[in-house]
Amino acid sequence: MCGIAGYIGKNRACPILIDGLRRLEYRGYDSAGFALAEDGGVVILKAVGRVEELEKQVGERDFLGTAGIAHTRWATHGKPSKENAHPHVDCRQEIFLVHNGIIENYKELKESLKKRGHRFSSETDSEVIAHLIEEYYGEDSLEEAVRKALLKATGTYGIAVLSQREPNKIVAARKGSPLILGVGKDEFIIASDVAAIIRYTDRVVYLNDGEMVVIGRDGYEVSNLERTRIDKRVDRIDWSVEKAEKQGFAYFMLKEIFEQPEAIKNAIRGRVLSADGNVKLGGLDDVRERLREINRLVIVACGTAYHAGLVGKYMLEEYAGIRADIEYGSEFRYRKPILDSKTAVLAVSQSGETADTLAAVKEAKNKGALALGIVNAVGSTIARETDAGIYNHAGPEIGVASTKAFTSQLSILALLTVFLGRQREMSCVTGKRILNELAEIERHIKTILKQAKEIEKIARKYSGFNNFLYLGRKYNYPIALEGALKIKEIAYVHAEGYPFGEMKHGSIALIDENFPSIAIVTKDSVYEKTISGVQEIKARGGKIIAIATSGDKEIKKLVDDVIYIPKTLEMLTPMISVVPLQLLAYYFGVQKGLDVDKPRNLAKSVTVE
Ligand code: AGP
């Protein structure tokens, strides 16, 4: 997910674009750049790192240009670098393009353009669009060339294009990535969301997928790719700037909880081979044959990523038939782990910078194991240190508490389970069943998110308690751990995640009317056993909030409160049973008046040991 902005109007574009990038930086911040129509030409500046690095390059230079486009990047293809930073240009350096999204057929397009003599300067998918436009930008207008180019691309885009030949025009278009036009007085701003617009105007035109807009100094025109003109309503924004960056959510954490359906869709996008009940994981192409030979997978991670890895262990053992161990990065590196060339060590890390996990990767490589990664931050240290890996494509996760990255990691672990399973004994039928159910998870999470208000009430009802036991069995045991971690780190409430069956071996001594439990009691292979645990708690006067499967009326008679979740495959249940626990932790923290985006003592990425 990247942030794009464009300006054309009566004022100098540079400060407006830089300010816009600052407000879009939560969408991506590994590199930034802009292109300004200046003195009959176009000036282009790029920088690696945050927008402030780009600002340093501007320094005291006084750009007078009043039309330009800009971009702050969250890398999806190609590491963060100056070459991969946007804007991208064509061979003649007369077309300048910024892009947010993923062009799925970029490899084929790039190959055919290279055969036609185009020279590329980046590893990105986005640059392909600039050269495609060049192909058509002969006698045609810029908008015609853009239109023809976009008809060749598959995937998602939000783009803005500037041309040296027609410097008083910006052409923008969207499909699957947001794009909004701010309509000011004698000025127009195009951006990924209102955060970059609201300071200049509250009048906006929301573009829809398949639409493009040609913006000039005197006005704009919206049409579709079939050249049909579209009349659009001008809306007014009633958000504050602060709220705009969170797209109306009070905190990034809540926004990212609600982004989970999108994050799962992006994790799966382009990776499912439905007809074969298999998956395509491009990042593992180089080690595909070696993966056939491995007889053990050691997953290393920390915190929430560790909990994802624990779910992965259960998935891989049950469905891929491969031995899978899970290790805390901070422990793994100080033991003498037995590893060999038949072992693959899989690092799971949102940031790709966690020192303990990185150290485990290095230890694995020292012992001749294959080092793999499931990482969200493209080009991060762990991503570069591993031999191969799979990117989440979840976009930046700003809230310190990991939410959308977690369910994205579970999506990727499910894909990896099918990948390794189909290399072994997993049947096509089983692969199809898993993948078909995985495709439904996005909808199931949306169903749970609709219960947010009810979950907020339950949080309020239990706000007086300072200790909780989180309990789950088998696939839900890691979710008990994750739920406990969330409420600890967000609301500073003490909680323990425990295997339900283990409770009677000690922690049940804690249970009384002042020590409630959160029990994950979904309809699965261990449901009856779990119900016994619920009865043990009730017999000791403990209050219970249950996470249960929709339609289960029995559980309602046994517990104090129930949050229902849709039925899915047992191995995929963690992807939905975690969502109520994320929301509970969020509401506990907010009701205590805490800054849930920046909890005390915590950092988003623990890059120290
Ligand atoms: C999760 O909510 C925490 N912020 C923390 O446990 C985090 O998951 C852990 O530090 C691992 O981070 P990583 O995924 O970036 O490696």
Side-chain angles (χ1 to χ4, degrees):
M1 182 165 82
C2 307
I4 72 172
Y7 176 84
I8 186 164
K10 63 192 182 233
N11 293 314
R12 293 181 183 183
C14 184
I16 295 170
L17 292 173
I18 292 285
D19 173 64
L21 290 185
R22 279 190 170 285
R23 299 185 184 287
L24 295 171
E25 208 165 17
Y26 71 88
R27 300 177 63 84
Y29 41 74
D30 60 46
S31 53
F34 64 64
L36 285 179
E38 183 89 8
D39 297 336
V42 175
V43 169
I44 185 167
L45 281 187
K46 296 184 182 185
V48 178
R50 303 194 75 120
V51 173
E52 65 184 307
E53 297 307 317
L54 182 64
E55 248 181 320
K56 285 177 194 165
Q57 286 202 30
V58 173
E60 300 309 313
R61 293 164 71 177
D62 193 10
F63 292 111
L64 305 177
T66 57
I69 56 175
H71 184 276
T72 182
R73 185 172 184 239
W74 178 261
T76 57
H77 293 75
K79 63 185 179 300
S81 68
K82 208 160 184 173
E83 296 73 26
N84 290 335
H86 299 215
H88 287 295
V89 299
D90 65 321
C91 302
R92 299 196 200 100
Q93 308 248 334
E94 67 168 11
I95 296 166
F96 301 82
L97 168 127
V98 290
H99 169 235
N100 171 30
I102 294 177
I103 302 301
E104 289 175 3
N105 63 337
Y106 83 97
K107 282 183 180 170
E108 303 93 270
L109 292 171
K110 189 166 184 174
E111 283 318 304
S112 67
L113 286 162
K114 277 181 172 176
K115 286 188 185 115
R116 296 173 59 81
H118 287 265
R119 297 173 311 286
F120 287 82
S121 55
S122 82
E123 307 159 284
T124 68
D125 55 329
S126 308
E127 187 188 356
V128 165
I129 307 175
H131 291 275
L132 261 185
I133 295 169
E134 178 187 4
E135 276 286 291
Y136 298 110
Y137 197 26
E139 301 314 313
D140 270 343
S141 65
L142 181 60
E143 56 268 33
E144 278 313 300
V146 170
R147 205 190 299 278
K148 288 175 181 169
L150 292 180
L151 287 169
K152 294 281 186 188
T154 60
T156 58
Y157 56 78
I159 60 168
V161 186
L162 188 68
S163 153
Q164 184 160 295
R165 213 190 294 174
E166 300 175 74
N168 294 311
K169 180 190 286 185
I170 293 175
V171 177
R174 69 157 283 178
K175 180 185 163 208
S177 295
L179 211 50
I180 300 159
L181 175 65
V183 182
K185 189 164 174 14
D186 306 327
E187 61 184 2
F188 300 95
I189 301 163
I190 187 85
S192 302
D193 73 34
V194 294
I197 295 170
I198 187 120
R199 272 190 70 189
Y200 307 96
T201 178
D202 62 359
R203 302 175 69 239
V204 292
V205 172
Y206 292 98
L207 293 179
N208 297 319
D209 283 352
E211 294 179 350
M212 67 187 288
V213 59
V214 182
I215 311 162
R217 292 193 178 280
D218 305 322
Y220 62 91
E221 185 172 297
V222 179
S223 62
N224 62 20
L225 296 189
E226 289 69 45
R227 296 187 188 78
T228 307
R229 184 166 172 174
I230 301 169
D231 289 330
K232 303 285 283 187
R233 189 183 68 236
V234 178
D235 286 313
R236 281 202 183 275
I237 317 162
D238 58 3
W239 281 348
S240 68
V241 174
E242 170 72 7
K243 252 195 151 182
E245 284 177 350
K246 300 178 183 79
Q247 291 175 356
F249 289 97
Y251 289 97
F252 281 114
M253 181 182 174
L254 189 61
K255 175 173 168 285
E256 286 150 11
I257 289 172
F258 275 75
E259 276 180 344
Q260 291 185 107
E262 184 71 20
I264 289 167
K265 184 157 64 175
N266 288 337
I268 298 170
R269 185 193 303 279
R271 290 170 164 167
V272 172
L273 303 171
S274 305
D276 308 333
N278 209 333
V279 298
K280 177 179 64 172
L281 296 172
L284 300 184
D285 283 351
D286 297 345
V287 296
R288 169 192 288 273
E289 290 319 309
R290 187 164 170 194
L291 285 171
R292 278 184 203 286
E293 304 310 315
I294 63 157
N295 57 21
R296 182 179 171 226
L297 204 62
V298 179
I299 305 167
V300 288
C302 301
T304 289
Y306 173 91
H307 300 148
L310 182 53
V311 175
K313 167 188 167 66
Y314 285 73
M315 289 177 174
L316 289 157
E317 288 178 339
E318 181 166 12
Y319 286 96
I322 190 168
R323 182 184 162 186
D325 299 313
I326 176 75
E327 297 272 0
Y328 284 111
S330 55
E331 286 297 309
F332 179 81
R333 57 184 304 198
Y334 294 112
R335 295 205 344 255
K336 283 181 67 61
I338 309 296
L339 306 172
D340 61 26
S341 62
K342 294 271 190 195
T343 306
V345 171
L346 171 63
V348 181
S349 175
Q350 187 288 127
S351 63
E353 300 299 344
T354 300
D356 289 325
T357 307
L358 175 60
V361 169
K362 289 179 175 173
E363 177 65 7
K365 294 180 75 172
N366 290 341
K367 290 184 181 279
L370 175 65
L372 305 174
I374 295 177
V375 176
N376 192 32
V378 172
S380 57
T381 308
I382 291 174
R384 282 179 285 112
E385 192 65 32
T386 46
D387 299 311
I390 309 157
Y391 281 127
N392 292 77
H393 295 321
E397 188 176 65
I398 307 298
V400 165
S402 189
T403 51
K404 67 174 182 175
F406 178 70
T407 43
S408 172
Q409 288 158 355
L410 296 181
S411 308
I412 304 262
L413 285 160
L415 294 176
L416 181 63
T417 298
V418 173
F419 181 87
L420 294 174
R422 297 285 284 124
Q423 282 190 335
R424 292 162 176 80
E425 305 304 312
M426 183 187 285
S427 69
C428 178
V429 169
T430 302
K432 282 183 178 177
R433 188 155 55 88
I434 294 171
L435 295 171
N436 290 341
E437 269 303 324
L438 184 58
E440 292 302 309
I441 297 297
E442 181 189 332
R443 181 170 59 82
H444 293 333
I445 290 180
K446 287 177 180 172
T447 302
I448 299 169
L449 294 173
K450 290 188 184 117
Q451 301 178 61
K453 288 292 172 213
E454 287 69 44
I455 294 169
E456 183 177 16
K457 284 187 197 128
I458 293 174
R460 197 175 302 284
K461 178 178 174 185
Y462 288 81
S463 57
F465 294 100
N466 298 310
N467 295 285
F468 289 87
L469 203 52
Y470 282 69
L471 299 157
R473 267 183 193 273
K474 202 174 172 188
Y475 282 99
N476 283 320
Y477 163 45
I479 302 307
L481 296 175
E482 175 58 12
L485 174 62
K486 282 286 154 303
I487 201 167
K488 279 186 277 193
E489 65 175 337
I490 290 304
Y492 317 150
V493 171
H494 175 254
E496 278 192 74
Y498 236 80
F500 221 138
E502 187 61 15
M503 180 188 68
K504 54 187 176 296
H505 297 283
S507 58
I508 197 165
L510 292 169
I511 300 297
D512 61 23
E513 67 281 1
N514 298 315
F515 202 118
S517 299
I518 292 177
I520 308 167
V521 198
T522 48
K523 285 274 189 175
D524 52 28
S525 61
V526 289
Y527 176 75
E528 299 310 330
K529 295 279 183 223
T530 310
I531 286 291
S532 310
V534 165
Q535 286 157 340
E536 288 159 17
I537 295 171
K538 288 315 286 177
R540 289 157 178 81
K543 294 182 181 4
I544 300 177
I545 302 169
I547 311 297
T549 303
S550 304
D552 179 354
K553 296 187 172 36
E554 286 312 301
I555 192 70
K556 217 174 173 65
K557 300 169 189 163
L558 295 173
V559 300
D560 301 86
D561 293 275
V562 184
I563 300 170
Y564 283 109
I565 64 173
K567 174 80 178 154
T568 184
L569 273 186
E570 186 168 356
M571 71 172 266
L572 301 179
T573 301
M575 296 177 70
I576 53 180
S577 58
V578 71
V579 177
L581 306 185
Q582 294 169 337
L583 287 168
L584 269 177
Y586 169 80
Y587 288 121
F588 263 92
V590 167
Q591 286 162 11
K592 290 180 74 173
L594 301 171
D595 180 349
V596 296
D597 280 342
K598 301 184 187 72
R600 67 185 180 196
N601 312 339
L602 285 173
K604 182 58 188 169
S605 176
V606 185
T607 56
V608 294
E609 296 169 17

